[in-house]
Amino acid sequence: MAMLFFCCTDNYKRVGEEAQKKVYPRGIAENSVLTYSELIEPLEGEDTKPAKNIAVLRSPIAYNYENLVFPYRLFPEGLEVDFFDERGEKNKVRADYGIVYSATNLIDLQGNVVLETPDGKKLETPQLYYDQDNQWVFTQEVFKFTNPEDGTIMDGKGMDFNKNLSFLSAHKTYGLMSIKEK
């Protein structure tokens, strides 16, 4: 009898896709709207005080993998984010796919990423990263940056800039661009 059980053990070593462990999200949200806000003044006891909105994130579906060793949130069907600057003006970001890495505070947006500012500036690229800790935005992909104030359209590959677009560094630019002399 022991010989029968010994012969029937599974000694097959799994590799590739078979070896991958199944990972399940902690939660799934459909048609989610997340509002990030912060208090203007600290609360004392059970006070209620006004808060200001920092960002509003909308997504058709969101997966929460915060239960993993390297936690993240996944937005496989795209997302839209309205984030507000110090003056309360709304900036918009849209992407076909997004991942928010909680451990590193890095946001990875992919597929038809469009960033629009209240003054009409527009950035279009296939992938864009946002480092929340340093408030720095960057891409190594091709981009198109439209600035209606100057009437310019800049095409290039690779750029990085700060959150409010007051500092912008394009790595490689090409195409026609008009520059006004002062």
Side-chain angles (χ1 to χ4, degrees):
M1 191 64 125
M3 183 76 142
L4 178 66
F5 286 114
F6 182 71
C7 294
C8 295
T9 59
D10 183 10
N11 294 328
Y12 178 72
K13 185 174 182 174
R14 284 161 175 60
V15 294
E17 288 185 22
E18 289 181 332
Q20 292 179 354
K21 293 181 181 176
K22 298 225 186 272
V23 177
Y24 298 100
R26 177 188 292 180
I28 300 171
E30 293 181 348
N31 299 318
S32 65
V33 178
L34 297 170
T35 302
Y36 297 93
S37 59
E38 69 180 20
L39 292 172
I40 297 169
E41 300 173 26
L43 289 178
E44 297 174 17
E46 295 184 22
D47 284 350
T48 58
K49 293 187 178 177
K52 68 176 185 174
N53 284 344
I54 297 172
V56 178
L57 185 147
R58 287 179 288 291
S59 177
I61 191 156
Y63 294 95
N64 180 341
Y65 290 97
E66 299 287 326
N67 55 331
L68 301 178
V69 174
F70 191 73
Y72 63 95
R73 290 180 184 262
L74 180 66
F75 304 91
E77 294 180 14
L79 68 149
E80 290 182 13
V81 182
D82 297 334
F83 59 95
F84 303 90
D85 61 17
E86 295 79 25
R87 297 182 306 269
E89 294 180 327
K90 182 169 60 172
N91 298 275
K92 292 184 176 195
V93 178
R94 291 185 312 273
D96 294 341
Y97 182 87
I99 303 174
V100 178
Y101 297 102
S102 305
T104 59
N105 283 330
L106 187 72
I107 299 173
D108 178 5
L109 302 173
Q110 301 175 23
N112 300 312
V113 181
V114 178
L115 168 72
E116 296 175 289
T117 63
D119 57 358
K121 294 176 184 168
K122 184 176 181 181
L123 174 69
E124 300 169 82
T125 183
Q127 185 169 25
L128 190 69
Y129 297 97
Y130 177 55
D131 180 349
Q132 293 177 328
D133 291 340
N134 298 311
Q135 297 185 349
W136 201 253
V137 184
F138 58 97
T139 183
Q140 296 300 321
E141 300 292 330
V142 296
F143 68 86
K144 179 179 179 180
F145 181 70
T146 307
N147 187 348
E149 291 175 352
D150 300 340
T152 60
I153 298 174
M154 181 184 354
D155 294 312
K157 184 172 183 180
M159 90 171 345
D160 55 311
F161 51 94
N162 62 356
K163 185 173 103 173
N164 57 4
L165 288 172
S166 62
F167 176 84
L168 184 129
S169 173
H171 304 175
K172 293 180 185 177
T173 58
Y174 47 85
L176 296 174
M177 183 170 38
S178 62
I179 300 173
K180 294 180 182 178
E181 289 188 38
K182 290 185 179 182

